[in-house]
Amino acid sequence: MNRIEDWRRARNMVAIGNLGEQVAIRVLSRWGYHVLATQEDLRGGVENILEMPTRMNPEDFVCVTPEGRMVTVNSKATVSPRASGTDRDGNLLPPRITKGKNAVEYTTVRGGLPSPVDGEVDGQVLKVDLVLMRAQLFAFDDAGRLYADGPVEDIADDVQTVLRRYPDGPPPGPSAYDDL
């Protein structure tokens, strides 16, 4: 875990975010999500998909849930003791989301990047707490507020697996085609 602390001290948010995404894809797969595409899979291809110049980035994950719904999942890794913790019910504290990323329009556009989407796409957020070594899925209510929408999952083994897989540096962003 010294590497995570080193990344935190150096404010290497790319390394922390990539570790969080590597953990997130493992958790989502375990929960029965089918990951169609990751941000890494689509990076650089958004202009081709939209057939116009854009600075828009794809969402972290575009998935189909076990129930068959199309969703985007934003992975939020935290190494900050202030952002880490649980509430009275034992749920992780909700992650911080930038204004606008809690709207159906935002998630629908993100979901449409890998392929045309008819209708709305639900947005979810998977908090990866690298202090507590836990993860939990959050969903948006009608007002755009996050609420816990799944169990708290222990991720200590996932973190160790990823760090062992990439011993010489930070992990890359995951791909839907990686062998987990």
Side-chain angles (χ1 to χ4, degrees):
M1 299 304 171
N2 291 336
R3 287 170 53 194
I4 297 172
E5 182 59 23
D6 290 345
W7 294 335
R8 185 188 70 77
R9 281 195 205 117
R11 297 184 180 269
N12 188 342
M13 296 306 151
V14 172
I16 292 164
N18 285 353
L19 174 59
E21 289 174 15
Q22 287 280 351
V23 169
I25 197 169
R26 286 164 170 72
V27 171
L28 291 169
S29 295
R30 234 182 351 265
W31 288 345
Y33 279 61
H34 177 72
V35 178
L36 301 175
T38 70
Q39 188 175 71
E40 202 63 29
D41 296 329
L42 300 173
R43 191 178 308 277
V46 174
E47 289 184 3
N48 293 335
I49 293 166
L50 296 178
E51 298 179 339
M52 61 186 250
T54 183
R55 294 181 57 166
M56 185 184 301
N57 288 320
E59 194 57 273
D60 293 335
F61 302 98
V62 178
C63 306
V64 176
T65 68
E67 300 80 33
R69 289 182 305 126
M70 176 89 123
V71 297
T72 62
V73 180
N74 190 337
S75 171
K76 289 293 182 184
T78 186
V79 292
S80 166
R82 283 187 27 203
S84 177
T86 58
D87 65 15
R88 291 180 183 162
D89 297 325
N91 293 309
L92 295 180
L93 296 178
R96 294 186 183 103
I97 296 296
T98 307
K99 186 175 177 156
K101 290 186 177 183
N102 59 348
V104 170
E105 297 82 14
Y106 176 88
T107 57
T108 299
V109 168
R110 294 301 197 260
L113 292 179
S115 63
V117 177
D118 293 328
E120 298 177 346
V121 175
D122 291 324
Q124 299 177 330
V125 180
L126 184 62
K127 181 170 185 178
V128 178
D129 189 320
L130 296 170
V131 176
L132 296 178
M133 292 296 159
R134 304 275 187 270
Q136 187 171 25
L137 194 64
F138 288 81
F140 295 102
D141 67 14
D142 291 339
R145 293 179 302 257
L146 287 170
Y147 65 91
D149 192 32
V152 176
E153 176 100 1
D154 184 294
I155 58 167
D157 289 342
D158 296 305
V159 170
Q160 288 302 319
T161 298
V162 172
L163 292 175
R164 277 193 305 272
R165 186 171 186 181
Y166 302 99
D168 299 325
S175 168
Y177 308 102
D178 286 343
D179 181 22
L180 301 178

